Amino acid sequence: MHSELLFRENWEGKFRCGLKKNKSDRWCTQMLIFRVLIGTWLIFLMSCSSLQELQKANLKRQQDAHARMKDQYVTLEKPSDTNVNVSGDGLKIDSTHYSLSFSEDLQQHTEYDTVSERQQSGHGYLVFMESLYQFIYQIFGFEPEHKIHVILHEIYRGTKLMATTTVHSQNRLQSNGEVLKIIRGIEMNFPMNMFAQLPVRAHELTHAFTQIYLLPAWFAEGIAVWVEVEYAKGRDHRKVEINKMKLTLDGLNAAQEWGGDLDAGADALTEWRYNYCYAIVAELKERFGEDFYPKFFSLMEADKLYQRLPGQMTTSFLVYYLSQAAGEDLVPYFESLKFKIKRLSKDEILDAIKSANKTLRR
Ligand SMILES: [Zn+2]
């Protein structure tokens, strides 16, 4: 702005010189040369300034694009087709991917004790949750088969500070004698205090998407916190140094034997576990790229071996698929972090499945 003003003054000066030409041509010529030089210099300054402005504008454009990506979570667009249906009593709201209900204690709350309050708020919640669903779907590239049942509470399990997501599964004997884990449903429970926090919704919805693969709890929490912090701007967790691990009395990494959200206390070890598991998930994505997790889940989906495993998925099984997605053996990495794991081949996994099925048939 300052250069622009100077430049305009200079052009006005040049005009005045033209008016003075008759008084002294030599003086005026000298002044003209002098002013042309000044003008050139100012034009140069302006050019520099314009270049800087251009660079600044480019940088701002890049920053804006980055911010838009980061803000996408907060400014989720209204999905075009939510199919939200509200029951006459406002107690049940359905949409394309959810069903939502209000617990009895919330129905006593002054904000939810009339039909219209429940209908309006429930409708709004599911429109938002449908957007969030698309957001999480974009990150992982797959979606659960079942509708997700969301239950809202005033107080849940005696507290306003805990939300849970549960994937209900059942072992079912197939006609060929194999036992398959069948997902029967997904249920999310939120006290309103937690539902109001957008990063918490993203954390829980990540569980709803990924726990259909029955992941070990430490990895399930790591991936949920990763989405919560890096995509949904959550501030409750932060990365910690991966090589500074807390150990059990057996000298093993204290993250591995963690039960996850349901085994979470307000203590330093729990806080470290959330942060540590997130740090591992984030580091793997940094090392192997944006497509690493979509690839990891699609490999598991292609084989469907997780459905045939006895019990919950173990870390050794998880690392087999992480290695497949990475294209390199990750057993040494996890061993260096004091995880207790065994290097498995697919044949060994299939053998374990066969012997488990024999045991179940006895
Ligand atoms: Zn969690």
Side-chain angles (χ1 to χ4, degrees):
M1 183 58 82
H2 187 59
S3 300
E4 198 179 44
L5 277 175
L6 281 176
F7 187 62
R8 197 179 301 131
E9 280 172 8
N10 187 57
W11 277 105
E12 282 166 3
K14 194 175 175 185
F15 177 68
R16 281 199 299 273
C17 181
L19 286 176
K20 289 176 183 172
K21 196 177 177 188
N22 289 338
K23 285 188 180 173
S24 166
D25 281 348
R26 196 172 160 220
W27 179 83
C28 201
T29 304
Q30 282 173 346
M31 282 308 291
L32 187 62
I33 292 167
F34 174 72
R35 283 181 168 165
V36 164
L37 285 174
I38 290 284
T40 309
W41 181 66
L42 286 171
I43 287 168
F44 172 73
L45 274 186
M46 266 195 64
S47 304
C48 289
S49 166
S50 301
L51 192 63
Q52 280 176 354
E53 290 298 321
L54 196 66
Q55 284 169 340
K56 264 190 208 167
N58 280 340
L59 183 66
K60 187 162 182 339
R61 248 196 313 280
Q62 284 169 12
Q63 286 171 340
D64 285 351
H66 188 69
R68 262 199 309 279
M69 278 172 63
K70 287 263 178 190
D71 283 346
Q72 198 186 347
Y73 173 75
V74 187
T75 56
L76 291 170
E77 284 177 18
K78 189 176 173 180
S80 54
D81 183 16
T82 55
N83 287 325
V84 179
N85 293 304
V86 181
S87 69
D89 55 8
L91 291 176
K92 203 127 183 69
I93 295 104
D94 272 287
S95 65
T96 308
H97 300 106
Y98 300 92
S99 66
L100 181 139
S101 50
F102 296 91
S103 71
E104 282 191 11
D105 74 332
L106 197 61
Q107 292 171 42
Q108 314 301 318
H109 191 281
T110 50
E111 287 176 24
Y112 301 95
D113 60 353
T114 67
V115 170
S116 64
E117 282 169 341
R118 290 192 295 271
Q119 286 175 330
Q120 279 174 23
S121 56
H123 185 279
Y125 294 155
L126 283 197
V127 168
F128 180 87
M129 290 300 282
E130 284 293 342
S131 302
L132 189 55
Y133 187 99
Q134 295 304 330
F135 186 79
I136 302 290
Y137 178 63
Q138 280 170 27
I139 296 172
F140 293 112
F142 68 88
E143 58 187 325
E145 275 177 31
H146 293 74
K147 262 194 185 187
I148 300 167
H149 186 196
V150 179
I151 307 170
L152 301 178
H153 308 256
E154 166 74 13
I155 293 171
Y156 175 61
R157 294 191 178 197
T159 174
K160 292 183 175 183
L161 299 173
M162 182 173 66
T164 63
T165 298
T166 311
V167 173
H168 298 290
S169 66
Q170 187 181 44
N171 286 335
R172 209 174 276 170
L173 189 64
Q174 306 297 296
S175 53
N176 64 359
E178 259 193 10
V179 175
L180 279 192
K181 278 199 201 77
I182 306 293
I183 306 296
R184 294 180 54 223
I186 304 167
E187 186 179 302
M188 302 170 84
N189 284 276
F190 292 93
M192 283 311 297
N193 176 48
M194 298 293 271
F195 190 70
Q197 299 172 44
L198 306 188
V200 173
R201 289 195 227 181
H203 177 115
E204 294 304 322
L205 195 56
T206 305
H207 281 322
F209 267 65
T210 58
Q211 272 315 92
I212 55 173
Y213 290 103
L214 310 166
L215 303 166
W218 74 265
F219 184 76
E221 291 310 331
I223 210 156
V225 173
W226 175 64
V227 171
E228 175 188 334
V229 174
E230 302 206 358
Y231 292 88
K233 299 183 170 184
R235 293 186 177 171
D236 288 348
H237 303 289
R238 61 185 173 80
K239 279 184 211 157
V240 289
E241 184 67 50
I242 284 181
N243 291 316
K244 288 183 186 166
M245 65 287 279
K246 291 186 189 291
L247 300 177
T248 65
L249 288 176
D250 294 327
L252 300 172
N253 194 313
Q256 190 180 358
E257 62 174 31
W258 183 30
D261 287 337
L262 294 175
D263 186 20
D267 54 89
L269 179 60
T270 297
E271 189 185 341
W272 174 81
R273 280 164 158 166
Y274 276 115
N275 293 335
Y276 188 84
C277 297
Y278 155 45
I280 291 182
V281 168
E283 183 173 276
L284 290 175
K285 185 247 163 185
E286 288 304 313
R287 274 174 66 184
F288 300 110
E290 202 72 44
D291 293 338
F292 179 65
Y293 288 116
K295 192 173 174 189
F296 160 75
F297 284 109
S298 70
L299 285 168
M300 285 205 299
E301 182 57 37
D303 286 350
K304 293 192 186 296
L305 292 185
Y306 66 96
Q307 282 188 309
R308 297 157 65 190
L309 275 181
Q312 195 77 10
M313 182 187 291
T314 63
T315 298
S316 301
F317 182 94
L318 173 87
V319 171
Y320 169 81
Y321 277 100
L322 289 174
S323 299
Q324 295 295 310
E328 70 176 65
D329 181 12
L330 291 175
V331 170
Y333 170 72
F334 281 96
E335 281 177 343
S336 75
L337 301 179
K338 309 271 188 220
F339 275 76
K340 186 183 180 185
I341 54 167
K342 184 171 180 269
R343 181 180 287 102
L344 293 175
S345 66
K346 195 175 257 182
D347 285 344
E348 284 173 310
I349 294 174
L350 289 168
D351 285 347
I353 289 167
K354 266 185 206 161
S355 63
N357 280 326
K358 271 184 203 160
T359 314
L360 286 166
R361 278 202 297 272
R362 265 181 211 151

